[in-house]
């Protein structure tokens, strides 16, 4: 496969680039309308150049002028690409699946056949969890399984929820679809509905009914998070068994003792940021619940402020599950302070932002580097200090310029400067695409720069959906070639990939045996293998899906607006 492109397709008004590699394809190419077999576009390939990340000779092509909705494929020499579509709602199905995956990752409730098909399972991980190092047990059921394992971790949960809420704030309509969520007994005891009724009575129960399904689904995670908070405001880092279970176990088959790991400032700060976001988005639907969430967040924040000497979480002795080690929790602290300032207007939060802004604007929107979340919430705040705001924007724009310019130099439009690909590289690409689009929303950012960012953002979506050296559309169940053997326990057990999961992607550090055996010597961008044993390249997580959701929704929103202005759909 030597014509590489977004296998799902393109928005009508979007930039549309493809990549050709190898020698035998000549200098030109055509786009064929599948319905008529006729050529609808003739183009010239760029001159050939060496592409660093994949270590190959490439050319590119541009079909942006083709805007007419339809189903097409590309011909170059004797090579033919897979079919792709151009249409306004081209990403609707994939977006639905990327969100529905969260529902399928639910822990602590029955997933019925009707809603989960073969992935149905009885309620899992229902036993009480032991607090590490004590005999005390607490009830922490609910939430989503993090990934291909069944752990539930507070830190990545915060990113997951925030990304979806940012997408919801950007375009509520695009996330207002029905997920066919049923009420009791479907939700079981750990349900948000039951929780609201139990704790807030009938009134909130009615408010609950008015929530869009996506916001209901998010509450399933939020309420689990609330159970992870200790009485003094501190937040437990994670709940898992001692070790990962075997690969062929379904969730309910992992029955070893659950253990709640010690509290951490990273978890508490992430928790505070999340609860502030919950307040911001739910206060109009469920005011009393939203206020409680905010109070819980403020309490977690106060705990962090009172424990500034913490050295960061590491797995305690005897625990071997996902660590989410983050020796620097201060960028999480900045993020929390910034959202809390936005929703409460309290100066004490702004003081923390000011104190940390010089050192904690860590680059990116990852689970680990969260400084830019802090910056974004601060600069979006009408009451922000203009000088500080400018400083934050400059930092984000410098970063975005560096990566967007790098993307223009790459045959696949990849926003990578170093051409190194680390564990979860696909999420780093998605996070960069998301940041490009977030910057497009800020009035403080220059219009010329926004043009570059939007183009680079579209390229990042293209990369993830097939325009990359591996030839894979990295989301299971979508595109002409997609991962069929993700490192995801239920999929391994059923010998069938659950759909709607973004896999980790190339990792040139070769961090598992399967990768070492199969990928040694490959160019960095090609260090990916669709093998269930390669957890460092082919696992999936909830927080890898969510930046892609944001990216696709943001691109669609901009494209519809452009189309509206130009009268494309008139
Ligand atoms: O940050 C360094 C960077 O400075 C360095 O240049 C680069 C090259 O070596 O490595 C970077 O560190 C990587 C780090 O992720 C960055 O966040 C590590 O190599 C890499 O091992 C580490 O991977 C993490 C992985 O757990 C192993 O700890 C992933 O980010 C993280 O997403 C993943 O999370 C796991 C959970 O623990 C368990 N559940 C599944 C989940 C996904 O695989
Ligand atoms: O399945 C585990 C996956 O979720 C983790 O991301 C990964 C790294 O922590 O570890 C996987 O579990 C493997 C373990 O680390 C080593 N023994 C084999 C396990 C399954 O492949
Ligand atoms: Zn479970």
């Amino acid at each position: 496969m030597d014509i590489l492109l977004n296998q799902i397709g393109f928005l009508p008004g979007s930039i549309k680039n493809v990549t050709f590699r190898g020698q035998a394809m000549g200098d030109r190419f055509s786009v064929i309308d599948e319905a008529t077999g006729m050529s609808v576009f003739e183009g010239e390939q760029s001159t050939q150049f060496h592409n660093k990340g994949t270590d190959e000779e490439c050319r590119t092509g541009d079909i942006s002028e083709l805007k007419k909705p339809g189903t097409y494929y590309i011909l170059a020499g004797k090579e033919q690409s897979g079919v792709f579509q151009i249409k306004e709602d081209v990403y609707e199905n994939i977006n639905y699946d990327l969100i529905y995956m969260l529902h399928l990752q639910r822990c602590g409730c029955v997933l019925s056949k009707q809603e989960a098909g073969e992935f149905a399972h009885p309620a899992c991980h229902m036993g009480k969890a032991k607090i590490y190092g004590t005999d005390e047990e607490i009830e922490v059921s609910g939430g989503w399984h993090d990934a291909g394992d069944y752990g539930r971790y507070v830190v990545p949960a915060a990113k997951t929820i925030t990304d979806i809420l940012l997408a919801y704030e950007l375009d509520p309509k695009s996330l207002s679809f029905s997920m066919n969520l049923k009420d009791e007994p479907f939700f079981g005891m750990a349900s948000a509905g039951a929780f609201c009724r139990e704790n807030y009575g009938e009134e909130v129960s009615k408010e609950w009914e008015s929530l869009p399904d996506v916001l209901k689904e998010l509450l399933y995670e939020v309420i689990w998070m609330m159970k992870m908070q200790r009485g003094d405001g501190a937040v437990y880092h994670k709940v898992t068994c001692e070790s990962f279970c075997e690969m062929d176990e379904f969730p309910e088959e992992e029955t070893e003792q659950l253990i709640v790991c010690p509290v951490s400032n990273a978890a508490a700060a992430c928790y505070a940021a999340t609860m502030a976001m919950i307040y911001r988005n739910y206060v109009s639907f469920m005011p009393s619940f939203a206020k409680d969430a905010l109070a819980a967040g403020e309490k977690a924040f106060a705990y962090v402020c009172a424990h500034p000497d913490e050295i960061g979480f590491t797995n305690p002795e005897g625990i071997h599950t996902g660590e989410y080690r983050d020796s620097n929790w201060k960028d999480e602290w900045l993020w929390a302070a910034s959202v809390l300032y936005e929703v409460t207007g309290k100066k004490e939060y702004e003081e923390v932002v000011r104190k940390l802004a010089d050192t904690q604007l860590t680059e990116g929107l990852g689970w680990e580097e969260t400084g830019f979340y802090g910056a974004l919430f601060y600069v979006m705040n009408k009451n922000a200090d203009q000088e500080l705001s400018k400083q934050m924007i400059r930092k984000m724009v410098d970063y975005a310029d560096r990566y967007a310019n790098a993307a223009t130099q790459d045959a696949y439009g990849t926003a990578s400067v170093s051409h190194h690909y680390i564990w979860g590289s696909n999420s780093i690409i998605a996070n960069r695409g998301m940041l490009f689009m977030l910057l497009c929303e800020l009035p403080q950012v220059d219009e010329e720069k926004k043009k570059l960012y939007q183009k680079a953002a579209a390229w990042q979506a293209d990369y993830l959906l097939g325009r990359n050296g591996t030839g894979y559309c990295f989301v299971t169940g979508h595109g002409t070639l997609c991962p069929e053997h993700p490192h995801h326990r239920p999929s391994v057990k059923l010998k069938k990939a659950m759909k709607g999961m973004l896999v980790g992607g190339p990792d040139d550090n070769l961090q598992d045996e399967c990768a070492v055996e199969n990928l040694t010597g490959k160019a960095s961008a090609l260090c990916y293998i669709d093998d269930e044993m390669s957890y460092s390249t082919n696992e999936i997580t909830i927080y890898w899906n969510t930046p892609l959701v944001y990216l696709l929704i943001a691109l669609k929103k901009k494209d519809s607006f452009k189309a509206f202005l130009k009268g494309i759909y008139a």
Side-chain angles (χ1 to χ4, degrees):
M1 206 172 36
D2 288 325
I3 304 177
L4 299 134
L5 79 173
N6 185 328
Q7 295 168 18
I8 311 299
F10 304 94
L11 294 158
S14 173
I15 182 155
K16 306 174 190 73
N17 287 113
V18 302
T19 305
F20 305 93
R21 68 174 165 206
Q23 308 291 342
M25 284 187 272
D27 299 327
R28 301 189 61 79
F29 67 94
S30 13
V31 183
I32 311 294
D33 183 334
E34 203 203 19
T36 62
M38 304 295 281
S39 166
V40 289
F41 183 90
E42 298 284 326
E44 206 169 306
Q45 298 177 29
S46 74
T47 49
Q48 185 166 297
F49 61 100
H50 182 77
N51 190 54
K52 207 161 171 207
T54 50
D55 192 19
E56 18 159 69
E57 305 310 312
C58 294
R59 297 160 179 257
T60 58
D62 188 346
I63 59 168
S64 309
E65 274 174 38
L66 183 61
K67 297 185 165 71
K68 193 173 163 224
T71 305
Y72 306 98
Y73 59 89
I74 291 178
L75 274 184
K78 290 204 172 80
E79 279 278 330
Q80 182 174 332
S81 76
V83 294
F84 61 92
Q85 294 193 299
I86 295 181
K87 61 175 181 176
E88 206 186 346
D89 57 359
V90 66
Y91 302 132
E92 210 164 88
N93 290 343
I94 195 168
N95 237 331
Y96 181 83
D97 286 350
L98 287 164
I99 296 264
Y100 199 73
M101 171 266 197
L102 300 173
H103 181 73
L104 295 175
Q105 290 286 99
R106 276 192 183 198
C107 181
C109 74
V110 177
L111 276 184
S112 69
K113 266 232 133 42
Q114 208 184 347
E115 73 208 91
E118 289 169 78
F119 291 93
H121 63 72
C124 55
H125 302 102
M126 296 298 284
K128 283 198 167 173
K130 209 171 230 157
I131 296 179
Y132 182 84
T134 74
D135 285 329
E136 197 187 331
E137 291 194 322
I138 57 172
E139 202 279 318
V140 285
S141 65
W144 307 309
H145 300 131
D146 178 55
D149 65 319
Y150 298 130
R152 287 165 291 151
Y153 310 85
V154 170
V155 166
K159 171 175 169 56
T160 312
I161 291 169
T162 299
D163 291 350
I164 299 285
L165 288 177
L166 282 169
Y168 183 79
E169 288 178 4
L170 178 71
D171 188 11
K173 262 210 333 262
S174 67
L175 286 174
S176 293
F177 47 75
S178 160
M179 291 166 69
N180 287 318
L181 297 187
K182 293 169 247 90
D183 209 359
E184 317 298 336
F186 166 76
F187 282 119
M189 263 326 286
S191 91
F195 177 91
C196 292
R197 268 188 285 282
E198 244 169 57
N199 293 279
Y200 299 96
E202 271 313 301
E203 195 181 323
V204 165
S205 159
K206 276 201 206 89
E207 292 165 358
W208 158 259
E209 299 304 331
S210 72
L211 279 179
D213 277 1
V214 171
L215 294 194
K216 283 186 181 168
E217 188 60 46
L218 290 193
L219 278 191
Y220 193 78
E221 181 80 341
V222 171
I223 287 165
W224 161 72
M225 276 176 102
M226 288 173 144
K227 296 180 185 181
M228 295 291 281
Q229 186 171 34
R230 203 166 67 181
D232 61 353
V235 178
Y236 296 110
H237 197 73
K238 61 175 186 170
V239 54
T240 65
C241 302
E242 259 178 24
S243 302
F244 295 118
C245 67
E246 296 300 323
M247 285 309 295
D248 60 354
E249 284 184 17
F250 237 47
E252 75 280 8
E253 293 173 295
E254 189 185 63
T255 52
E256 287 79 13
Q257 175 68 52
L258 287 170
I259 298 161
V260 165
C261 277
V263 301
S264 74
N265 275 353
C270 283
Y271 180 96
T274 307
M275 294 306 154
M277 267 312 262
I278 291 298
Y279 178 80
R280 202 163 117 130
N281 282 278
Y282 289 71
V283 71
S284 60
F285 293 108
M286 305 168 77
S288 43
F289 173 75
K291 278 180 201 139
D292 278 7
L294 180 58
E298 293 198 81
K299 201 166 168 188
F301 191 88
Y303 180 90
V304 176
C305 296
H307 296 81
D309 298 326
E310 192 207 274
I311 57 166
F313 180 87
T314 49
N315 265 342
E317 210 190 321
I319 300 289
H320 308 288
T321 48
E323 191 166 35
Y324 291 108
R325 177 205 292 245
D326 190 355
S327 51
N328 178 25
W329 48 265
K330 293 199 172 148
D331 52 340
E332 283 78 6
W333 196 16
L334 169 70
W335 171 24
S338 170
V339 205
L340 280 169
Y341 177 51
E342 211 274 326
V343 300
T344 66
K346 291 183 190 166
K347 284 287 170 196
E348 64 202 71
Y349 295 124
E350 192 185 25
E351 273 161 34
V352 176
V353 175
R354 283 178 190 280
K355 192 173 81 181
L356 298 174
D358 272 347
T359 56
Q360 299 305 323
L361 286 176
T362 52
E363 295 182 332
L365 297 171
W367 66 261
E368 192 176 4
E369 311 293 353
T370 63
F372 282 179
Y373 282 109
L376 283 164
F377 286 107
Y378 190 74
V379 304
M380 289 191 288
N381 185 343
K382 284 192 285 303
N383 299 319
D385 174 282
Q386 289 313 307
E387 244 339 280
L388 183 52
S389 229
K390 259 196 207 141
Q391 194 187 316
M392 289 180 169
I393 299 229
R394 207 174 307 129
K395 185 100 200 240
M396 289 190 286
V397 162
D398 279 354
Y399 174 90
D401 283 353
R402 235 180 308 136
Y403 284 97
N405 284 320
T408 65
Q409 304 300 309
D410 188 276
Y412 298 93
T414 323
S416 168
V417 171
S418 67
H419 302 291
H420 268 304
Y421 289 73
I422 63 171
W423 193 315
S425 65
N426 279 346
S427 73
I428 294 171
I429 297 292
N431 289 336
R432 288 191 184 134
M434 174 171 166
L435 181 70
F436 292 145
M437 291 312 285
L438 277 159
L439 291 177
C440 287
E441 291 301 310
L442 298 180
Q444 302 97 317
V445 174
D446 187 81
E447 288 303 317
E448 275 309 303
K449 284 195 190 292
K450 286 182 182 172
K451 282 187 198 153
L452 171 66
Y453 296 165
Q454 199 185 327
K455 190 161 78 170
W459 286 336
Q460 304 324 298
D462 292 346
Y463 172 93
L464 297 171
L465 303 180
R467 188 190 177 207
N468 64 69
T470 73
Y472 280 90
C473 164
F474 285 122
V475 177
T476 56
H478 289 268
T480 31
L481 176 70
C482 68
E484 306 223 1
H485 309 283
H487 184 86
H488 176 251
R489 284 171 172 74
S491 300
V492 170
K493 171 105 180 184
L494 291 174
K495 299 191 168 53
K496 177 186 175 182
M498 183 189 271
K499 69 175 174 176
M501 308 188 294
L502 176 68
V503 299
D507 175 3
D508 60 40
N509 290 316
L510 308 185
Q511 288 174 282
D512 62 64
E513 276 175 32
C514 173
V516 172
E517 216 169 277
N518 294 283
L519 304 172
T520 299
K522 291 221 176 210
S524 54
L526 303 179
C527 288
Y528 166 75
I529 181 165
D530 180 20
D531 188 307
E532 66 194 37
M533 291 317 288
S534 182
Y535 46 82
S536 65
T537 75
N538 209 29
E539 194 169 359
I540 59 89
T541 75
I542 53 175
Y543 57 95
W544 294 345
N545 270 28
T546 54
L548 181 54
V549 168
Y550 183 94
L551 175 57
L552 296 179
I553 285 178
L555 287 170
K556 156 84 197 288
K557 190 180 172 203
K558 275 269 181 303
D559 205 68
S560 311
F561 185 62
K562 251 184 6 196
F564 172 73
L565 289 182
K566 288 189 182 159
I568 287 181
Y569 300 121

